[in-house]
Amino acid sequence: MLSQDKLKRINELAKKKKNEGLTKEEAKEQSQLRSEYLASFRNSFKEQIEHTKVIDPEGNDVTPDKLKDIQKKNRTRD
């Protein structure tokens, strides 16, 4: 998870870029922060998917086999 300070800085740089433009150093910082943010987002999303169980309207577990295998490997599924 990205810290609140880094999220605040991302927003500050985006606003500055829109209003007046960024220096080379600020553009480099913005790029690096965005990369960190995307990596954090992808990791969180992956963890959420790996802990998901899909149930159909009749109550049957229809979780895809590929996901079941990942969950078994990570010991999040019986």
Side-chain angles (χ1 to χ4, degrees):
M1 179 94 172
L2 214 58
S3 72
Q4 289 296 321
D5 290 338
K6 287 186 178 185
L7 289 173
K8 183 179 175 184
R9 183 65 178 153
I10 288 170
N11 291 326
E12 288 171 356
L13 290 170
K15 185 176 181 180
K16 184 176 181 194
K17 180 179 180 179
K18 184 178 178 181
N19 293 332
E20 58 192 82
L22 300 175
T23 65
K24 282 186 177 185
E25 293 81 21
E26 289 170 330
K28 189 174 181 178
E29 178 187 7
Q30 183 184 43
S31 177
Q32 193 268 335
L33 287 170
R34 282 183 176 171
S35 294
E36 282 185 52
Y37 172 80
L38 288 173
S40 175
F41 176 84
R42 288 179 182 124
N43 187 46
S44 295
F45 189 73
K46 179 182 172 195
E47 287 182 20
Q48 183 177 5
I49 293 295
E50 289 178 356
H51 287 86
T52 299
K53 187 175 187 178
V54 183
I55 305 295
D56 70 8
E58 289 87 38
N60 300 312
D61 183 356
V62 293
T63 306
D65 290 336
K66 184 176 180 180
L67 181 55
K68 286 180 183 178
D69 292 341
I70 291 169
Q71 291 169 341
K72 286 177 185 175
K73 180 182 168 193
N74 295 336
R75 297 183 179 173
T76 58
R77 184 179 195 88
D78 299 329

